[in-house]
PDB file of all heavy atoms in Angstrom:
ATOM      1  N   ILE A  21       5.502 -18.483  15.522  1.00 92.00           N
ATOM      2  CA  ILE A  21       6.600 -17.582  15.152  1.00 92.00           C
ATOM      3  C   ILE A  21       6.326 -16.129  15.532  1.00 92.00           C
ATOM      4  O   ILE A  21       7.226 -15.431  15.947  1.00 92.00           O
ATOM      5  CB  ILE A  21       7.048 -17.702  13.670  1.00 92.00           C
ATOM      6  CG1 ILE A  21       5.916 -17.359  12.725  1.00 92.00           C
ATOM      7  CG2 ILE A  21       7.594 -19.087  13.364  1.00 92.00           C
ATOM      8  CD1 ILE A  21       6.401 -17.197  11.290  1.00 92.00           C
ATOM      9  N   CYS A  22       5.080 -15.667  15.403  1.00 95.00           N
ATOM     10  CA  CYS A  22       4.800 -14.269  15.766  1.00 95.00           C
ATOM     11  C   CYS A  22       3.302 -14.039  15.893  1.00 95.00           C
ATOM     12  O   CYS A  22       2.548 -14.234  14.950  1.00 95.00           O
ATOM     13  CB  CYS A  22       5.385 -13.312  14.728  1.00 95.00           C
ATOM     14  SG  CYS A  22       4.924 -11.596  15.029  1.00 95.00           S
ATOM     15  N   LYS A  23       2.891 -13.571  17.064  1.00 96.00           N
ATOM     16  CA  LYS A  23       1.465 -13.366  17.324  1.00 96.00           C
ATOM     17  C   LYS A  23       0.893 -12.191  16.508  1.00 96.00           C
ATOM     18  O   LYS A  23      -0.261 -12.196  16.128  1.00 96.00           O
ATOM     19  CB  LYS A  23       1.224 -13.099  18.811  1.00 96.00           C
ATOM     20  CG  LYS A  23       1.818 -14.141  19.751  1.00 96.00           C
ATOM     21  CD  LYS A  23       0.945 -15.374  19.856  1.00 96.00           C
ATOM     22  CE  LYS A  23       1.351 -16.307  20.995  1.00 96.00           C
ATOM     23  NZ  LYS A  23       2.563 -17.107  20.739  1.00 96.00           N
ATOM     24  N   THR A  24       1.750 -11.189  16.264  1.00 97.00           N
ATOM     25  CA  THR A  24       1.277 -10.054  15.454  1.00 97.00           C
ATOM     26  C   THR A  24       0.941 -10.525  14.043  1.00 97.00           C
ATOM     27  O   THR A  24      -0.088 -10.177  13.474  1.00 97.00           O
ATOM     28  CB  THR A  24       2.370  -8.965  15.375  1.00 97.00           C
ATOM     29  OG1 THR A  24       2.846  -8.705  16.681  1.00 97.00           O
ATOM     30  CG2 THR A  24       1.831  -7.691  14.767  1.00 97.00           C
ATOM     31  N   LYS A  25       1.836 -11.327  13.524  1.00 96.00           N
ATOM     32  CA  LYS A  25       1.640 -11.873  12.181  1.00 96.00           C
ATOM     33  C   LYS A  25       0.371 -12.721  12.132  1.00 96.00           C
ATOM     34  O   LYS A  25      -0.426 -12.616  11.200  1.00 96.00           O
ATOM     35  CB  LYS A  25       2.869 -12.723  11.844  1.00 96.00           C
ATOM     36  CG  LYS A  25       2.989 -13.097  10.399  1.00 96.00           C
ATOM     37  CD  LYS A  25       4.391 -13.617  10.130  1.00 96.00           C
ATOM     38  CE  LYS A  25       4.472 -14.142   8.731  1.00 96.00           C
ATOM     39  NZ  LYS A  25       5.762 -13.903   8.097  1.00 96.00           N
ATOM     40  N   LEU A  26       0.193 -13.519  13.155  1.00 96.00           N
ATOM     41  CA  LEU A  26      -1.013 -14.344  13.255  1.00 96.00           C
ATOM     42  C   LEU A  26      -2.264 -13.465  13.214  1.00 96.00           C
ATOM     43  O   LEU A  26      -3.206 -13.727  12.477  1.00 96.00           O
ATOM     44  CB  LEU A  26      -0.967 -15.145  14.566  1.00 96.00           C
ATOM     45  CG  LEU A  26      -2.283 -15.789  15.007  1.00 96.00           C
ATOM     46  CD1 LEU A  26      -2.667 -16.930  14.068  1.00 96.00           C
ATOM     47  CD2 LEU A  26      -2.192 -16.309  16.442  1.00 96.00           C
ATOM     48  N   LEU A  28      -2.669 -10.240  12.214  1.00 96.00           N
ATOM     49  CA  LEU A  28      -2.862  -9.478  10.971  1.00 96.00           C
ATOM     50  C   LEU A  28      -3.327 -10.391   9.844  1.00 96.00           C
ATOM     51  O   LEU A  28      -4.279 -10.078   9.128  1.00 96.00           O
ATOM     52  CB  LEU A  28      -1.566  -8.766  10.582  1.00 96.00           C
ATOM     53  CG  LEU A  28      -1.116  -7.648  11.517  1.00 96.00           C
ATOM     54  CD1 LEU A  28       0.294  -7.180  11.166  1.00 96.00           C
ATOM     55  CD2 LEU A  28      -2.092  -6.470  11.458  1.00 96.00           C
ATOM     56  N   LYS A 153       1.096  -6.179  20.164  1.00 94.00           N
ATOM     57  CA  LYS A 153       2.214  -5.273  19.848  1.00 94.00           C
ATOM     58  C   LYS A 153       3.345  -6.052  19.195  1.00 94.00           C
ATOM     59  O   LYS A 153       3.725  -7.105  19.684  1.00 94.00           O
ATOM     60  CB  LYS A 153       2.759  -4.661  21.156  1.00 94.00           C
ATOM     61  CG  LYS A 153       2.113  -3.372  21.565  1.00 94.00           C
ATOM     62  CD  LYS A 153       3.161  -2.268  21.731  1.00 94.00           C
ATOM     63  CE  LYS A 153       2.578  -0.872  21.784  1.00 94.00           C
ATOM     64  NZ  LYS A 153       1.450  -0.589  20.949  1.00 94.00           N
ATOM     65  N   PRO A 154       3.885  -5.553  18.092  1.00 95.00           N
ATOM     66  CA  PRO A 154       4.989  -6.292  17.466  1.00 95.00           C
ATOM     67  C   PRO A 154       6.217  -6.332  18.367  1.00 95.00           C
ATOM     68  O   PRO A 154       6.483  -5.383  19.102  1.00 95.00           O
ATOM     69  CB  PRO A 154       5.274  -5.503  16.190  1.00 95.00           C
ATOM     70  CG  PRO A 154       4.615  -4.194  16.360  1.00 95.00           C
ATOM     71  CD  PRO A 154       3.504  -4.376  17.330  1.00 95.00           C
ATOM     72  N   GLN A 155       6.905  -7.415  18.318  1.00 94.00           N
ATOM     73  CA  GLN A 155       8.153  -7.565  19.065  1.00 94.00           C
ATOM     74  C   GLN A 155       9.270  -7.709  18.048  1.00 94.00           C
ATOM     75  O   GLN A 155       9.166  -8.536  17.165  1.00 94.00           O
ATOM     76  CB  GLN A 155       8.130  -8.857  19.905  1.00 94.00           C
ATOM     77  CG  GLN A 155       6.930  -9.013  20.796  1.00 94.00           C
ATOM     78  CD  GLN A 155       7.071  -8.248  22.097  1.00 94.00           C
ATOM     79  OE1 GLN A 155       8.191  -8.048  22.575  1.00 94.00           O
ATOM     80  NE2 GLN A 155       5.953  -7.819  22.651  1.00 94.00           N
ATOM     81  N   ARG A 156      10.294  -6.890  18.227  1.00 94.00           N
ATOM     82  CA  ARG A 156      11.369  -6.942  17.242  1.00 94.00           C
ATOM     83  C   ARG A 156      12.123  -8.256  17.356  1.00 94.00           C
ATOM     84  O   ARG A 156      12.625  -8.602  18.413  1.00 94.00           O
ATOM     85  CB  ARG A 156      12.315  -5.765  17.470  1.00 94.00           C
ATOM     86  CG  ARG A 156      13.256  -5.498  16.326  1.00 94.00           C
ATOM     87  CD  ARG A 156      12.486  -4.979  15.134  1.00 94.00           C
ATOM     88  NE  ARG A 156      13.387  -4.480  14.118  1.00 94.00           N
ATOM     89  CZ  ARG A 156      13.377  -3.215  13.685  1.00 94.00           C
ATOM     90  NH1 ARG A 156      12.541  -2.353  14.181  1.00 94.00           N
ATOM     91  NH2 ARG A 156      14.193  -2.831  12.730  1.00 94.00           N
ATOM     92  N   MET A 157      12.177  -8.977  16.240  1.00 94.00           N
ATOM     93  CA  MET A 157      12.916 -10.238  16.211  1.00 94.00           C
ATOM     94  C   MET A 157      13.787 -10.270  14.966  1.00 94.00           C
ATOM     95  O   MET A 157      13.645  -9.444  14.088  1.00 94.00           O
ATOM     96  CB  MET A 157      11.944 -11.411  16.130  1.00 94.00           C
ATOM     97  CG  MET A 157      11.079 -11.571  17.354  1.00 94.00           C
ATOM     98  SD  MET A 157       9.854 -12.861  17.086  1.00 94.00           S
ATOM     99  CE  MET A 157       8.663 -12.056  16.060  1.00 94.00           C
ATOM    100  N   LYS A 158      14.622 -11.265  14.903  1.00 92.00           N
ATOM    101  CA  LYS A 158      15.490 -11.419  13.739  1.00 92.00           C
ATOM    102  C   LYS A 158      14.684 -11.578  12.458  1.00 92.00           C
ATOM    103  O   LYS A 158      15.028 -11.026  11.419  1.00 92.00           O
ATOM    104  CB  LYS A 158      16.374 -12.647  13.935  1.00 92.00           C
ATOM    105  CG  LYS A 158      17.838 -12.321  14.055  1.00 92.00           C
ATOM    106  CD  LYS A 158      18.631 -13.595  13.904  1.00 92.00           C
ATOM    107  CE  LYS A 158      20.118 -13.303  13.892  1.00 92.00           C
ATOM    108  NZ  LYS A 158      20.868 -14.519  14.209  1.00 92.00           N
ATOM    109  N   ILE A 159      13.604 -12.349  12.562  1.00 91.00           N
ATOM    110  CA  ILE A 159      12.835 -12.647  11.349  1.00 91.00           C
ATOM    111  C   ILE A 159      12.090 -11.434  10.799  1.00 91.00           C
ATOM    112  O   ILE A 159      11.663 -11.441   9.649  1.00 91.00           O
ATOM    113  CB  ILE A 159      11.819 -13.795  11.570  1.00 91.00           C
ATOM    114  CG1 ILE A 159      10.879 -13.469  12.740  1.00 91.00           C
ATOM    115  CG2 ILE A 159      12.510 -15.112  11.800  1.00 91.00           C
ATOM    116  CD1 ILE A 159       9.637 -14.335  12.746  1.00 91.00           C
ATOM    117  N   CYS A 160      11.949 -10.376  11.597  1.00 94.00           N
ATOM    118  CA  CYS A 160      11.197  -9.198  11.143  1.00 94.00           C
ATOM    119  C   CYS A 160      11.724  -8.654   9.814  1.00 94.00           C
ATOM    120  O   CYS A 160      10.955  -8.268   8.950  1.00 94.00           O
ATOM    121  CB  CYS A 160      11.251  -8.088  12.182  1.00 94.00           C
ATOM    122  SG  CYS A 160      10.297  -8.444  13.662  1.00 94.00           S
ATOM    123  N   ARG A 161      13.017  -8.618   9.681  1.00 90.00           N
ATOM    124  CA  ARG A 161      13.633  -8.025   8.491  1.00 90.00           C
ATOM    125  C   ARG A 161      13.139  -8.655   7.194  1.00 90.00           C
ATOM    126  O   ARG A 161      13.088  -8.014   6.162  1.00 90.00           O
ATOM    127  CB  ARG A 161      15.163  -8.149   8.561  1.00 90.00           C
ATOM    128  CG  ARG A 161      15.777  -7.143   9.492  1.00 90.00           C
ATOM    129  CD  ARG A 161      16.743  -6.229   8.729  1.00 90.00           C
ATOM    130  NE  ARG A 161      16.635  -4.874   9.239  1.00 90.00           N
ATOM    131  CZ  ARG A 161      16.607  -3.793   8.474  1.00 90.00           C
ATOM    132  NH1 ARG A 161      16.643  -3.906   7.164  1.00 90.00           N
ATOM    133  NH2 ARG A 161      16.510  -2.605   9.001  1.00 90.00           N
ATOM    134  N   LYS A 162      12.834  -9.920   7.271  1.00 90.00           N
ATOM    135  CA  LYS A 162      12.412 -10.597   6.049  1.00 90.00           C
ATOM    136  C   LYS A 162      10.904 -10.796   5.982  1.00 90.00           C
ATOM    137  O   LYS A 162      10.397 -11.372   5.026  1.00 90.00           O
ATOM    138  CB  LYS A 162      13.106 -11.961   5.964  1.00 90.00           C
ATOM    139  CG  LYS A 162      14.545 -11.834   5.546  1.00 90.00           C
ATOM    140  CD  LYS A 162      15.132 -13.187   5.178  1.00 90.00           C
ATOM    141  CE  LYS A 162      16.627 -13.061   5.031  1.00 90.00           C
ATOM    142  NZ  LYS A 162      17.342 -14.170   5.665  1.00 90.00           N
ATOM    143  N   CYS A 163      10.218 -10.318   7.001  1.00 93.00           N
ATOM    144  CA  CYS A 163       8.777 -10.538   7.065  1.00 93.00           C
ATOM    145  C   CYS A 163       8.055  -9.550   6.151  1.00 93.00           C
ATOM    146  O   CYS A 163       8.450  -8.393   6.039  1.00 93.00           O
ATOM    147  CB  CYS A 163       8.344 -10.331   8.514  1.00 93.00           C
ATOM    148  SG  CYS A 163       6.584 -10.432   8.776  1.00 93.00           S
ATOM    149  N   ALA A 164       6.993 -10.009   5.519  1.00 94.00           N
ATOM    150  CA  ALA A 164       6.226  -9.130   4.621  1.00 94.00           C
ATOM    151  C   ALA A 164       5.579  -7.974   5.385  1.00 94.00           C
ATOM    152  O   ALA A 164       5.237  -6.950   4.803  1.00 94.00           O
ATOM    153  CB  ALA A 164       5.158  -9.927   3.888  1.00 94.00           C
ATOM    154  N   TYR A 165       5.414  -8.133   6.685  1.00 96.00           N
ATOM    155  CA  TYR A 165       4.797  -7.077   7.495  1.00 96.00           C
ATOM    156  C   TYR A 165       5.811  -6.072   8.038  1.00 96.00           C
ATOM    157  O   TYR A 165       5.438  -5.212   8.815  1.00 96.00           O
ATOM    158  CB  TYR A 165       4.055  -7.691   8.686  1.00 96.00           C
ATOM    159  CG  TYR A 165       2.805  -8.453   8.306  1.00 96.00           C
ATOM    160  CD1 TYR A 165       2.788  -9.838   8.307  1.00 96.00           C
ATOM    161  CD2 TYR A 165       1.646  -7.782   7.943  1.00 96.00           C
ATOM    162  CE1 TYR A 165       1.643 -10.550   7.964  1.00 96.00           C
ATOM    163  CE2 TYR A 165       0.494  -8.474   7.603  1.00 96.00           C
ATOM    164  CZ  TYR A 165       0.496  -9.852   7.617  1.00 96.00           C
ATOM    165  OH  TYR A 165      -0.629 -10.542   7.274  1.00 96.00           O
ATOM    166  N   PHE A 166       7.050  -6.234   7.662  1.00 95.00           N
ATOM    167  CA  PHE A 166       8.092  -5.386   8.268  1.00 95.00           C
ATOM    168  C   PHE A 166       7.720  -3.897   8.267  1.00 95.00           C
ATOM    169  O   PHE A 166       7.701  -3.241   9.307  1.00 95.00           O
ATOM    170  CB  PHE A 166       9.433  -5.588   7.553  1.00 95.00           C
ATOM    171  CG  PHE A 166      10.519  -4.731   8.113  1.00 95.00           C
ATOM    172  CD1 PHE A 166      11.210  -5.119   9.245  1.00 95.00           C
ATOM    173  CD2 PHE A 166      10.836  -3.497   7.541  1.00 95.00           C
ATOM    174  CE1 PHE A 166      12.214  -4.327   9.790  1.00 95.00           C
ATOM    175  CE2 PHE A 166      11.827  -2.688   8.081  1.00 95.00           C
ATOM    176  CZ  PHE A 166      12.512  -3.108   9.202  1.00 95.00           C
ATOM    177  N   GLU A 167       7.399  -3.368   7.106  1.00 95.00           N
ATOM    178  CA  GLU A 167       7.077  -1.935   7.026  1.00 95.00           C
ATOM    179  C   GLU A 167       5.821  -1.621   7.825  1.00 95.00           C
ATOM    180  O   GLU A 167       5.727  -0.606   8.488  1.00 95.00           O
ATOM    181  CB  GLU A 167       6.856  -1.525   5.572  1.00 95.00           C
ATOM    182  CG  GLU A 167       8.120  -1.515   4.759  1.00 95.00           C
ATOM    183  CD  GLU A 167       7.851  -1.138   3.317  1.00 95.00           C
ATOM    184  OE1 GLU A 167       6.788  -1.544   2.800  1.00 95.00           O
ATOM    185  OE2 GLU A 167       8.687  -0.459   2.717  1.00 95.00           O
ATOM    186  N   PHE A 168       4.869  -2.503   7.727  1.00 96.00           N
ATOM    187  CA  PHE A 168       3.619  -2.289   8.450  1.00 96.00           C
ATOM    188  C   PHE A 168       3.874  -2.203   9.955  1.00 96.00           C
ATOM    189  O   PHE A 168       3.382  -1.298  10.627  1.00 96.00           O
ATOM    190  CB  PHE A 168       2.642  -3.421   8.135  1.00 96.00           C
ATOM    191  CG  PHE A 168       1.268  -3.192   8.703  1.00 96.00           C
ATOM    192  CD1 PHE A 168       0.320  -2.513   7.964  1.00 96.00           C
ATOM    193  CD2 PHE A 168       0.939  -3.632   9.973  1.00 96.00           C
ATOM    194  CE1 PHE A 168      -0.945  -2.286   8.482  1.00 96.00           C
ATOM    195  CE2 PHE A 168      -0.317  -3.412  10.501  1.00 96.00           C
ATOM    196  CZ  PHE A 168      -1.265  -2.734   9.750  1.00 96.00           C
ATOM    197  N   CYS A 169       4.624  -3.136  10.478  1.00 96.00           N
ATOM    198  CA  CYS A 169       4.856  -3.182  11.926  1.00 96.00           C
ATOM    199  C   CYS A 169       5.710  -2.032  12.436  1.00 96.00           C
ATOM    200  O   CYS A 169       5.479  -1.527  13.520  1.00 96.00           O
ATOM    201  CB  CYS A 169       5.563  -4.483  12.306  1.00 96.00           C
ATOM    202  SG  CYS A 169       4.443  -5.877  12.387  1.00 96.00           S
ATOM    203  N   TRP A 170       6.697  -1.645  11.652  1.00 96.00           N
ATOM    204  CA  TRP A 170       7.718  -0.765  12.219  1.00 96.00           C
ATOM    205  C   TRP A 170       7.682   0.665  11.726  1.00 96.00           C
ATOM    206  O   TRP A 170       8.519   1.465  12.093  1.00 96.00           O
ATOM    207  CB  TRP A 170       9.102  -1.398  12.028  1.00 96.00           C
ATOM    208  CG  TRP A 170       9.123  -2.733  12.676  1.00 96.00           C
ATOM    209  CD1 TRP A 170       9.132  -3.952  12.055  1.00 96.00           C
ATOM    210  CD2 TRP A 170       9.036  -3.015  14.081  1.00 96.00           C
ATOM    211  NE1 TRP A 170       9.061  -4.962  12.986  1.00 96.00           N
ATOM    212  CE2 TRP A 170       9.012  -4.421  14.235  1.00 96.00           C
ATOM    213  CE3 TRP A 170       8.979  -2.204  15.237  1.00 96.00           C
ATOM    214  CZ2 TRP A 170       8.918  -5.028  15.487  1.00 96.00           C
ATOM    215  CZ3 TRP A 170       8.895  -2.817  16.472  1.00 96.00           C
ATOM    216  CH2 TRP A 170       8.875  -4.217  16.581  1.00 96.00           C
TER     217      TRP A 170
HETATM  218  S1  LIG C   1       7.568  -7.775  11.262  1.00 75.84           S
HETATM  219 FE1  LIG C   1       8.153  -8.932  13.060  1.00 75.84          FE
HETATM  220  S2  LIG C   1       6.611  -8.392  14.550  1.00 75.84           S
HETATM  221 FE2  LIG C   1       5.798  -7.812  12.580  1.00 75.84          FE
HETATM  222  S3  LIG C   1       4.601  -9.532  11.918  1.00 75.84           S
HETATM  223 FE3  LIG C   1       6.619  -9.791  11.043  1.00 75.84          FE
HETATM  224  S4  LIG C   1       7.701 -11.036  12.506  1.00 75.84           S
HETATM  225 FE4  LIG C   1       5.908 -10.264  13.559  1.00 75.84          FE
END
Side-chain angles (χ1 to χ4, degrees):
Chain A
I21 61 169
C22 174
K23 307 280 192 285
T24 311
K25 194 166 173 145
L26 165 69
L28 293 170
K153 270 236 165 323
Q155 308 278 331
R156 195 69 169 240
M157 294 174 283
K158 245 194 175 161
I159 56 163
C160 289
R161 283 241 142 223
K162 284 192 191 136
C163 175
Y165 290 105
F166 179 82
E167 289 179 324
F168 187 89
C169 281
W170 302 108

